[in-house]
Amino acid sequence: MSSNARAKIAVDAMGGDFGPSVVVPGALQAAQTTGAKVYLVGIEEDIHKTLDELAPSLEEGTDFEVVPASQTVEMTDKPSDILRNKKDSSMQVACRLVRSGEADAFISAGHSGAAYACAMFILGRIHGVDRPALASLMPTEKSPMLLLDVGANVECRAGHLFQFGLMGSAFVKDILGYENPRVGILSIGEEEGKGNSLVKSSYELLKQAAHLNFIGNAEGRDIFTGDIDVAVCDGFVGNIVLKLSEGLASAFGHMLKRELTNSGFLPYLGAVLSKKAFHNFKKIVDYAEYGGAPLLGLKSLALVCHGKSNSKAISSAVTMANTYVVKGTQQRLVETISANEELANYARLA
């Protein structure tokens, strides 16, 4: 897609803890700044209520369309039940807009398992990809890195991790602009031969991949140094790493604030003087800066956002989706998988 193209993004307006009240303004803000068209999918009455509240501040020319859906996905719903019994849910309707070609990408902050299931069965997988991977951008000391899988596939084979490495590398080249991304596999030691059977067999495959800058094993601490650009692991390990990182960042901020404000005048004065630094730190570790987790390996982009996403997170997700579409990242993923097709076929047996 040319740089002058405009992305069309289907947004599940009913998803997340706050629904249209944050999804609609976030999506429209991104539409204004990127020029993308957004389809707001969900209960018409609820969406229009939020639109009416935003009307005074809505810029002329903002391209959006309300697409009705009569059902919503609840966190208590089973993904299989949603696929069978909620065909007019905002999630399914948004996915079908992408499948039909009316939209280029799908975004939801709703039930992540349901979003994965709908995207998988409605959008379909890229030829050569066995398991789509949920990826997460992580802050580091230098620049963001990509961790995958972070929860979509808790049981993996070596062939799956091999494909994760290929897709992750292609993604950060376009989205983050990294020329030769460094790809590593999470293990318990840097030396070749360390790790369980999955890590060892995946290592052998990844080091044979064409045009992949595979740097070998990486330890958990390497995620935050900025010395690795893509880290691959199974979804069980990845989800623990992700949740631990989120919890640690939050706890560290609270503990530091407590110590600086409850330890006398001088620490308090230091906290006041360091206000800008604290603001910058919060921005670095805030998931809202990155928007959502891309589900890589599908025929079109799907982004799964945090359930507690605010308007800023939704806006960031739409902006990421727009960049993905305009830069033609999807085609790059297909080309990367195709370039390694022979090895990928072998990897399926691993």
Side-chain angles (χ1 to χ4, degrees):
M1 185 171 286
S2 71
S3 59
N4 294 322
R6 290 193 316 136
K8 295 173 290 183
I9 317 296
V11 182
D12 172 13
M14 311 309 295
D17 293 354
F18 310 108
S21 66
V22 302
V23 175
V24 172
L28 293 180
Q29 176 60 44
Q32 292 172 2
T33 57
T34 66
K37 176 174 182 176
V38 293
Y39 292 96
L40 303 171
V41 185
I43 308 299
E44 284 186 280
E45 181 181 351
D46 294 345
I47 295 173
H48 280 293
K49 180 180 178 181
T50 302
L51 287 172
D52 290 342
E53 295 171 354
L54 294 172
S57 60
L58 192 61
E59 292 182 11
E60 185 177 351
T62 303
D63 199 354
F64 71 93
E65 182 178 330
V66 177
V67 178
S70 62
Q71 297 172 301
T72 60
V73 172
E74 307 299 332
M75 291 303 294
T76 53
D77 290 338
K78 293 181 179 179
S80 57
D81 291 340
I82 293 165
L83 286 169
R84 288 195 300 265
N85 304 320
K86 290 195 171 182
K87 296 186 183 298
D88 200 45
S89 65
S90 54
M91 205 174 274
Q92 282 217 47
V93 172
C95 281
R96 288 199 295 272
L97 285 173
V98 178
R99 186 179 65 183
S100 68
E102 292 179 70
D104 303 303
F106 158 68
I107 293 174
S108 178
H111 190 315
S112 57
Y116 178 85
C118 290
M120 268 277 289
F121 288 98
I122 296 175
L123 303 182
R125 295 169 293 168
I126 294 173
H127 174 71
V129 172
D130 296 314
R131 299 271 190 90
L134 194 61
S136 179
L137 287 169
M138 306 280 285
T140 78
E141 294 178 26
K142 300 173 184 176
S143 52
M145 60 82 65
L146 192 72
L147 174 68
L148 70 167
D149 181 45
V150 295
N153 306 283
V154 295
E155 298 283 351
C156 290
R157 299 194 306 272
H160 302 144
L161 269 62
F162 168 73
Q163 293 172 358
F164 298 168
L166 297 178
M167 295 188 294
S169 178
F171 182 84
V172 298
K173 281 181 182 178
D174 277 1
I175 302 303
L176 300 181
Y178 300 165
E179 290 186 7
N180 192 26
R182 298 157 297 179
V183 179
I185 182 170
L186 278 187
S187 186
I188 58 172
E190 296 179 351
E191 302 83 5
E192 183 175 355
K194 286 289 185 73
N196 57 20
S197 58
L198 174 62
V199 169
K200 292 175 183 177
S201 53
S202 301
Y203 189 110
E204 292 302 314
L205 289 171
L206 285 163
K207 72 179 184 181
Q208 299 177 60
H211 312 299
L212 188 71
N213 183 15
F214 179 58
I215 62 173
N217 286 340
E219 296 182 274
R221 63 189 176 192
D222 297 322
I223 290 176
F224 302 104
T225 62
D227 295 328
I228 183 172
D229 302 311
V230 178
V232 298
C233 58
D234 63 66
F236 184 84
V237 171
N239 192 261
I240 291 174
V241 171
L242 179 65
K243 298 295 175 58
L244 175 62
S245 302
E246 290 178 350
L248 181 60
S250 177
F252 177 75
H254 291 146
M255 288 187 290
L256 187 59
K257 182 178 180 180
R258 182 187 65 206
E259 290 303 312
L260 289 173
T261 56
N262 295 335
S263 301
F265 175 73
L266 289 178
Y268 179 78
L269 179 61
V272 173
L273 295 175
S274 303
K275 187 175 181 180
K276 183 177 181 181
F278 287 131
H279 174 76
N280 291 340
F281 172 77
K282 184 178 179 181
K283 184 177 180 180
I284 290 171
V285 299
D286 186 4
Y287 67 84
E289 290 292 324
Y290 307 106
L295 191 53
L296 302 179
L298 299 172
K299 290 181 179 178
S300 299
L301 177 66
L303 274 169
V304 180
C305 301
H306 200 292
K308 297 184 183 300
S309 289
N310 54 23
S311 294
K312 181 180 180 181
I314 299 299
S315 179
S316 296
V318 174
T319 300
M320 181 192 292
N322 180 74
T323 301
Y324 183 99
V325 173
V326 169
K327 287 195 171 184
T329 307
Q330 183 70 18
Q331 183 57 33
R332 221 87 62 230
L333 290 177
V334 173
E335 291 169 357
T336 301
I337 295 296
S338 298
N340 290 273
E341 186 170 6
E342 184 177 344
L343 189 55
N345 289 333
Y346 169 74
R348 289 193 179 91
L349 303 176

